[in-house]
Amino acid sequence: MFDRHLIPLIRRPLQLLAAPLCRAGISANQISLIGFAVGMLALPLLALGWHGWALAAILFNRLLDGLDGAVARQTGITDCGGFLDISLDFIFYAVVVLGFALGDPTNALPAATLLFAFMGTGSSFLAFAIMAGKRGIENPVYHHKSLYYLGGLTEGSETIALFVLMCLWPAAFAPLAYGFALLCAITTLTRLWSGYHTLR
């Protein structure tokens, strides 16, 4: 929901950060893999209850996730890079939720509910992107992406905000997870409706 407003604000700073990396020969895929490796540290950190360090890993992962796209736009967007980026993103989102479940067994049910909701948003997002790619449909808002980004209430910005709140207020994991799962359900339903009628 907020991505379309925030992306233009951060695009210029990311371009400035990306320029020296491009000159050094660092590829977007390398940045994606480094960011993913750092993001995976959130799993043991959350399991141990080290929420501050987990938050640092999460934010650094998200920084590199934006930076890999900035590098790709300067060196050339590729299908393999877009595939790698979105695949690692979805794994990372699930790992953060799993980390909270491992850190406190009482989080198991709300974590499972949130992961179920993530399945809905993720599958509707990717399924439409595949069909849009086959038909040559482009998103006028996210035309700089390697695949069609179907919007909704819960996009990247909202998910990052959720993880930040969970790390700062871990005792509220359950209500935050259930609340966000509800928003994800609304997102999934609206994507299914709009996606079906667009392709029809």
Side-chain angles (χ1 to χ4, degrees), residues 29 56 64 109 134 154 169 183 195:
N29 290 345
L64 294 189
L109 181 58
K134 287 175 63 176
T154 53
W169 194 14
L183 295 178

Side-chain angles (χ1 to χ4, degrees), residues 34-46 50-65 92 95-96 160 163-164 167:
I34 293 170
F36 179 72
V38 173
M40 289 301 97
L41 294 175
L43 180 64
L45 292 170
L46 289 169
W50 296 351
H51 299 102
W53 286 107
L55 177 58
I58 290 169
L59 292 178
F60 191 70
N61 169 275
R62 293 296 83 196
L63 172 63
L64 294 189
D65 181 64
F92 166 74
V95 157
V96 173
I160 296 169
F163 290 162
V164 170
C167 288

Side-chain angles (χ1 to χ4, degrees), residues 156-181:
S157 302
E158 292 80 15
T159 307
I160 296 169
L162 172 73
F163 290 162
V164 170
L165 288 174
M166 286 176 168
C167 288
L168 295 177
W169 194 14
F173 176 84
L176 288 171
Y178 286 131
F180 201 77

